[in-house]
Amino acid sequence: MAGWIRAIRAVPWGEVIAAAPLVVGSAKKIIFTRRRKEETARASARAEPAELLSDDAALRALQLRIADLERDLIGATEILENLADQHAQLVIAVEAQRTRIRTLTWTCVVLAALTAGLVLWLFMR
């Protein structure tokens, strides 16, 4: 369990915390935009039933909807990229910590062997 605590301490939390407002802000922006568009779509659907729209108007409404979805997809992709970057930083930090732990373990083994050898040498004298 102590290894996990060390790994958590090795994470560059300053960078993670610095990037967090960007991720949260982008997510809130997408959510707010999506809700506003849904409210607008509901209001226009109530104002103009689908069967009263002409083919051109229905096609234009669908094109606008597709454009909105594409913008939302781009925003979601940016958020995912930010999260992936943060995840990569965490993986790098954990891997560095794992390497340090392995080095420390081998150092302790060597020191323990040297200590045991020294103790044996002192008793043999």
Side-chain angles (χ1 to χ4, degrees):
M1 191 64 147
W4 285 107
I5 293 172
R6 288 188 200 121
I8 289 173
R9 287 183 183 163
V11 172
W13 290 111
E15 294 176 22
V16 172
I17 290 171
L22 175 67
V23 173
V24 171
S26 298
K28 284 183 179 180
K29 180 180 172 186
I30 287 176
I31 290 170
F32 175 76
T33 304
R34 172 63 24 218
R35 285 183 184 161
R36 187 171 37 112
K37 289 176 184 175
E38 287 175 2
E39 290 171 1
T40 305
R42 281 189 212 126
S44 67
R46 279 184 237 127
E48 300 175 6
E51 57 270 356
L52 297 180
L53 291 175
S54 67
D55 289 340
D56 291 337
L59 180 62
R60 180 67 183 145
L62 289 174
Q63 289 172 338
L64 290 174
R65 178 83 171 131
I66 290 170
D68 289 343
L69 290 172
E70 287 175 347
R71 279 192 294 273
D72 289 347
L73 181 62
I74 290 170
T77 302
E78 289 172 359
I79 290 173
L80 287 175
E81 287 174 357
N82 288 334
L83 290 173
D85 289 342
Q86 287 182 4
H87 183 264
Q89 290 175 358
L90 290 173
V91 168
I92 290 169
V94 168
E95 182 61 29
Q97 189 64 29
R98 194 172 68 84
T99 303
R100 288 183 195 131
I101 289 171
R102 186 181 315 130
T103 303
L104 182 60
T105 300
W106 281 109
T107 303
C108 288
V109 167
V110 169
L111 287 175
L114 288 174
T115 302
L118 182 62
V119 169
L120 284 174
W121 180 76
L122 286 175
F123 282 125
M124 298 290 246
R125 272 182 91 193

